[in-house]
Amino acid sequence: MSEHRRKPPQPQGGGRAAARRGAPGAPSGRRAAPRDATGPSSSSYGAPGSGAPDEGDQTYGGRAQARRAAQRSGSVGAGGGRRRAAEPSGGGRAGGGGRRGGGGSGGSGGPGRGRGRGPQQPGKKRFIDYPRAGKRGAGRWVPSWRLVTGLFLSFVGGLMAVAGISYALVEVPEVDKAAKAQNNVYYWADGKQMVATGGERNRQIIDYDDIPKEMRFAVMSAENKTFEDDKGVDPMGIARAVVNMAKGGQTQGGSTITQQYVKNARLGDQSQTFSRKFKELFISIKVGRTESKEDIMAGYLNTAYYGRGAYGIQAAARAYFDKEATDLDPSECALLATVLKGATYYDPAGYPEIDPAANQKDNTARAKKRWEWILDEEVKDGRLTAAERNKYRDFPKLANPRSNTQLGGQTGYLVDLAKAYVIRNTNITAEQLQQGGYEIHTTFERKKVKELENAVNKVRKEKIKPKLRPEKDTHVQFGGASVNPKNGAIEAIYGGEDATKHFTNNADQTGAQVGSTYKPFVLAAAFKYGVRNPDGPEVQSNAERTVVNPKSLYSGKNELKIQNYNGSVWTDREGKEWLQKNDGDASYNPPSYRIDLREAMRESVNSAYVQLGMDVGLEKVKEAAIDAGLKDDSSMASANYPSFSLGTSSPSAIRMAGAYSTFAASGKQNEPYSVTEVEYKGDSVYRHEKETKQAFTSQVADNVTDVLRTVVDKGTGTSAQLSGRQVAGKTGTTDGNKSAWFVGYTPQLSTAISMYRLDDDETNKKREFLEMFGTGGEEKIHGASFPAKIWQDYMSEALKGERVESFPPPQPIGRLVGETPPPPPSPTVTKEPEKDEPSSPTPTKTETTKPPTTTKSPDPEESCSQWDWECNGHGGVDGGAEDGGANGDPGGESPPPTADPPGHNQGNQNGGGIFG
């Protein structure tokens, strides 16, 4: 038979164990043969009695086969020799199974201790059968149901063990330690303390019995319907909050009142880390089991933050309604439950200095919607009757949001500005800042802040008489800001009369259009990008454009028909033309009406700069304004209409001062900032780092400055002149005389002053800007009047004692555009028509042109009354945004002839946000 025949099946048993189980009576020291061995050992190898196997009968070719044969036969000699199983039995070492072999003939012996493995034993079962034995392919990796069940039960058991241990080990913190009061300290630029405020705890603890049940009901309906029954946490409430949030509906919040109480009163750390939430969960469970519901509810309402610096229900009742908590009605309680969701976005007074989205209008809308929802939920929950609900359909009237006397005057505006800057520019949240303990070092210079306030108050006292002229002098507002051109530091602001009485910071956001103070951005765009080639495409590279110089000529004609860059007449969507008016319907330099850009800026000629903006491209004008430092947000008007160049945008005084400071710094733009450093517990957590970008080349910026100097030297801004100092600036007035500006700068300081009339009474929902004709006893308010006078009074004092600096001389720029004016019309002689000769047609008069007049600027040294604007020699009044609409309709703030497209700014009253 072949040596490669199939291996026969092996019997069970064998090996040493089988030998030990040999026949009884086996000699000592010899191993017994297997129980099933019946034949002599010689039968396995050769003829009986043969000492060697017969060559003809031998069928095994190696040691392995010999071992298998020995195991199969079980006939093993009793001898204990060490011969291998493959060796012939008999003679010498024949006999017992060797240590390696399977035993030869000559007796009944056990198998040797050789390398033969014997029959395979069943494998041991693993504790976790994975991958699964006995399975092939993908089946090996599919866990059995026993494995899945076991792992799940082990996981749940482990969680329960961890929860039990955590519950046993967690300690409930003391209330007094976590609720300890702290202040935020604000410092002037010189390091002296300005005020300690903003983080103090305005709190008065009251008993549970003194808390109106209407307040408890409102909070339960809004935040935790199961409060009276839950054990401190509400898993279903968490799930319900997630579902409602996914649907976009009103939410109760996933945290129970107990959890909120633990977070506010017992955990000083307000972070949202997993470990802190884990700790809060177990403390809430323990508090829910160990304290009464009355104590938890009273503790929550006495420690929660309601906004306006008020902690606790009693302080909140005073801050919002100026009454005791016991006197609150269901409507007022619903409002306080509303602000618990987050005062920043639900206090109707608004916090626009923190987030532009938290303005008064949007906050009021959000608060009213949730206030109504809470009252309706109370009816559903059976805590308020429908009849009682119907009594409260009008939103409750609120008290003054600022009652801290420390924040009176300008201090409140300064604190708000610094606080908003910290929240917007650091990792410190509003909630963390409210917890207190921070030292905030600002850029505000006390002397300059005081001088700016004095300059405004001087005008108010001498010229604004609300009792004398109630129809003209009421609701008059001023705003102002000073920015250092070298680094962007905001050194002074004027936010309003008193931060505890007037709540909008006029320096940071007003919505008042800036008028002709926008024209320098048009000029900067013409210097930077150039005017487009009239024969080229609408979008052109700088190489295809022509950079202008200040002597370039444009038309100063009143009711100028505005053209596109290619010479075609601009029309709106209805096909109406745009006829641009100048202030006072004045035309300049007839009969050619040609006026260079320097003179047009000096006299604030609208027609010239509107056409220049069209030639450059309004999008390029917008880019230049943004490069200078304005924000591309809701304060930026639509650039789809020619009037864009005349200042229909409404940036804040801070932004305008910052943008002009870019020209003062020869084109280097620094973002305005109000905080230099923030410290917490002695460690610096924020430090301002100066980031300067080159918005314009020095050639562009210095030429803009040179043109703006002529405005102050002998143009509309002469009332802003400073003795012995170079000043550059621009006046601005808007259509309808609804706002007036002066923005100017020296090499050391850039300042913007705004004036407007706006009824800020919270009951006035429209909050429209009012006309200023007759305000202050003046026929019309111009940027050259009160704003320029305030600027001059303030800057004279702010720069007193500082060395005099000069602007760098401008380098030549661009080339002359429009240098070939059309020839003047030749005089014609009209002859008498001959008899029977038809008369020539009479020309139709299409426009009314003022007779050419030459306005002589008075000598600056001339003695004048300080309120005599004409005496100051501004050479005519500033047109600002007195732009002409289509067919001669006034433009500026007024809308164009057709409905504005979405996004066209008509005076955003919330324009700008922080430093808008």
Side-chain angles (χ1 to χ4, degrees), residues 152-222:
F152 175 76
L153 293 177
S154 299
F155 177 73
V156 172
L159 285 181
M160 293 179 66
V162 171
I165 295 172
S166 300
Y167 179 81
L169 294 179
V170 72
E171 295 182 0
V172 179
E174 294 290 336
V175 173
D176 292 340
K177 292 181 180 179
K180 186 177 180 180
Q182 296 185 82
N183 289 329
N184 291 322
V185 182
Y186 293 82
Y187 296 91
W188 294 102
D190 61 4
K192 295 182 179 179
Q193 181 173 319
M194 178 196 307
V195 66
T197 185
E200 71 275 15
R201 297 296 193 267
N202 175 18
R203 176 189 291 128
Q204 180 181 353
I205 305 297
I206 61 176
D207 294 333
Y208 178 82
D209 294 336
D210 293 329
I211 299 174
K213 67 179 186 301
E214 291 83 3
M215 185 65 198
R216 303 197 302 267
F217 292 161
V219 171
M220 284 190 285
S221 290

Side-chain angles (χ1 to χ4, degrees), residues 551-750:
K551 293 184 179 180
S552 295
L553 300 174
Y554 272 81
S555 176
K557 183 180 179 182
N558 185 51
E559 293 191 353
L560 177 69
K561 186 179 294 185
I562 298 302
Q563 300 177 344
N564 293 306
Y565 78 98
N566 57 10
S568 62
V569 176
W570 186 92
T571 58
D572 64 12
R573 287 176 296 181
E574 296 181 357
K576 294 181 180 180
E577 299 174 349
W578 189 281
L579 303 179
Q580 181 59 57
K581 284 187 176 182
N582 291 324
D583 186 45
D585 293 331
S587 288
Y588 296 83
N589 303 334
S592 68
Y593 301 110
R594 292 288 175 169
I595 186 171
D596 68 43
L597 294 178
R598 183 185 297 274
E599 183 184 0
M601 183 72 77
R602 184 179 73 233
E603 303 299 334
S604 200
V605 180
N606 293 336
S607 57
Y609 273 89
V610 169
Q611 188 59 61
L612 177 63
M614 298 299 290
D615 292 349
V616 173
L618 298 182
E619 284 299 327
K620 291 297 184 182
V621 173
K622 180 179 178 180
E623 284 184 34
I626 294 172
D627 288 342
L630 299 191
K631 296 180 72 175
D632 187 12
D633 59 8
S634 59
S635 68
M636 184 70 71
S638 168
N640 294 327
Y641 290 86
S643 60
F644 178 76
S645 295
L646 297 180
T648 54
S649 298
S650 56
S652 70
I654 292 175
R655 281 288 159 187
M656 287 300 289
Y660 271 48
S661 73
T662 301
F663 300 134
S666 296
K668 295 182 176 66
Q669 194 268 330
N670 293 288
E671 189 71 8
Y673 70 101
S674 59
V675 175
T676 57
E677 185 178 14
V678 180
E679 294 179 299
Y680 185 71
K681 295 182 179 180
D683 296 328
S684 179
V685 294
Y686 169 79
R687 190 185 301 273
H688 174 76
E689 295 183 4
K690 180 181 175 182
E691 294 183 3
T692 302
K693 68 177 184 180
Q694 193 73 40
F696 306 105
T697 63
S698 59
Q699 184 186 36
V700 169
D702 292 344
N703 271 279
V704 172
T705 294
D706 190 57
V707 171
L708 293 182
R709 284 186 60 195
T710 64
V711 175
V712 178
D713 288 345
K714 51 184 177 180
T716 60
T718 54
S719 55
Q721 292 175 353
L722 298 176
S723 177
R725 292 184 183 272
Q726 293 183 355
V727 176
K730 184 70 187 77
T731 55
T733 309
T734 59
D735 184 49
N737 203 209
K738 293 181 178 180
S739 62
W741 289 73
F742 184 80
V743 187
Y745 54 93
T746 67
Q748 296 110 309
L749 195 63
S750 175

Side-chain angles (χ1 to χ4, degrees), residues 447-569:
K447 175 181 178 291
K448 291 177 181 177
V449 171
K450 187 63 178 176
E451 294 298 344
L452 182 54
E453 185 178 28
N454 289 342
V456 175
N457 289 342
K458 180 180 178 181
V459 170
R460 279 193 176 277
K461 182 178 179 180
E462 296 183 10
K463 301 298 293 184
I464 309 301
K465 309 288 186 181
K467 294 181 179 180
L468 181 64
R469 293 180 292 268
E471 297 298 321
K472 303 295 183 180
D473 286 11
T474 54
H475 309 304
V476 176
Q477 298 293 336
F478 294 93
S482 284
V483 173
N484 189 324
K486 293 180 174 59
N487 55 24
I490 303 171
E491 296 186 349
I493 65 167
Y494 179 84
E497 287 186 79
D498 190 323
T500 64
K501 299 175 182 178
H502 173 73
F503 314 128
T504 301
N505 187 346
N506 296 342
D508 192 25
Q509 57 182 96
T510 66
Q513 295 180 354
V514 296
S516 288
T517 57
Y518 209 80
K519 287 175 183 173
F521 305 128
V522 182
L523 186 62
F527 288 162
K528 180 176 182 178
Y529 302 110
V531 296
R532 290 175 287 185
N533 181 353
D535 297 325
E538 182 174 359
V539 179
Q540 299 179 15
S541 65
N542 289 350
E544 300 174 279
R545 294 168 171 264
T546 301
V547 173
V548 304
N549 70 21
K551 293 184 179 180
S552 295
L553 300 174
Y554 272 81
S555 176
K557 183 180 179 182
N558 185 51
E559 293 191 353
L560 177 69
K561 186 179 294 185
I562 298 302
Q563 300 177 344
N564 293 306
Y565 78 98
N566 57 10
S568 62
V569 176

Side-chain angles (χ1 to χ4, degrees), residues 217-242:
F217 292 161
V219 171
M220 284 190 285
S221 290
E223 300 292 339
N224 187 188
K225 292 178 182 292
T226 63
F227 169 72
E228 295 175 323
D229 302 316
D230 64 40
K231 302 301 182 183
V233 295
D234 181 16
M236 292 301 296
I238 297 174
R240 196 164 47 244
V242 172

Side-chain angles (χ1 to χ4, degrees), residues 70-315:
Q71 293 167 356
R72 189 164 50 249
S73 66
S75 300
V76 185
R82 300 173 58 92
R83 183 177 299 275
R84 298 178 187 271
E87 294 175 358
S89 60
R93 300 171 65 181
R99 180 175 297 179
R100 297 182 180 179
S105 61
S108 177
R113 291 182 295 169
R115 296 178 183 174
R117 291 177 298 174
Q120 185 176 359
Q121 298 290 331
K124 294 183 179 179
K125 298 187 69 174
R126 293 177 293 174
F127 180 72
I128 298 178
D129 186 20
Y130 192 82
R132 298 174 66 182
K135 300 288 185 179
R136 296 183 179 276
R140 299 184 64 216
W141 305 101
V142 178
S144 66
W145 67 269
R146 292 185 182 87
L147 179 60
V148 173
T149 303
L151 291 176
F152 175 76
L153 293 177
S154 299
F155 177 73
V156 172
L159 285 181
M160 293 179 66
V162 171
I165 295 172
S166 300
Y167 179 81
L169 294 179
V170 72
E171 295 182 0
V172 179
E174 294 290 336
V175 173
D176 292 340
K177 292 181 180 179
K180 186 177 180 180
Q182 296 185 82
N183 289 329
N184 291 322
V185 182
Y186 293 82
Y187 296 91
W188 294 102
D190 61 4
K192 295 182 179 179
Q193 181 173 319
M194 178 196 307
V195 66
T197 185
E200 71 275 15
R201 297 296 193 267
N202 175 18
R203 176 189 291 128
Q204 180 181 353
I205 305 297
I206 61 176
D207 294 333
Y208 178 82
D209 294 336
D210 293 329
I211 299 174
K213 67 179 186 301
E214 291 83 3
M215 185 65 198
R216 303 197 302 267
F217 292 161
V219 171
M220 284 190 285
S221 290
E223 300 292 339
N224 187 188
K225 292 178 182 292
T226 63
F227 169 72
E228 295 175 323
D229 302 316
D230 64 40
K231 302 301 182 183
V233 295
D234 181 16
M236 292 301 296
I238 297 174
R240 196 164 47 244
V242 172
V243 172
N244 288 340
M245 186 181 298
K247 292 180 178 179
Q250 292 278 8
T251 64
Q252 290 183 342
S255 297
T256 63
I257 289 175
T258 305
Q259 288 176 271
Q260 293 293 327
Y261 165 60
V262 167
K263 180 179 72 172
N264 295 336
R266 298 180 181 271
L267 291 176
D269 179 16
Q270 295 293 316
S271 63
Q272 297 297 315
T273 61
F274 175 79
S275 60
R276 188 206 157 279
K277 297 296 289 185
F278 189 75
K279 184 178 181 181
E280 176 191 308
L281 178 67
F282 287 104
I283 293 177
S284 299
I285 296 174
K286 183 165 285 189
V287 168
R289 290 174 58 89
T290 58
E291 295 192 18
S292 67
K293 292 294 183 180
E294 290 78 6
D295 289 344
I296 293 173
M297 176 62 77
Y300 171 60
L301 295 178
N302 276 321
T303 58
Y305 180 60
Y306 295 78
R308 303 192 180 189
Y311 285 82
I313 179 65
Q314 178 72 358

Side-chain angles (χ1 to χ4, degrees), residues 6 14 102 177 272 302 341 407 772 796 845:
R6 183 178 181 88
K177 292 181 180 179
Q272 297 297 315
N302 276 321
K341 187 172 177 65
L407 301 178
M772 292 190 294
S796 296
K845 189 174 183 180

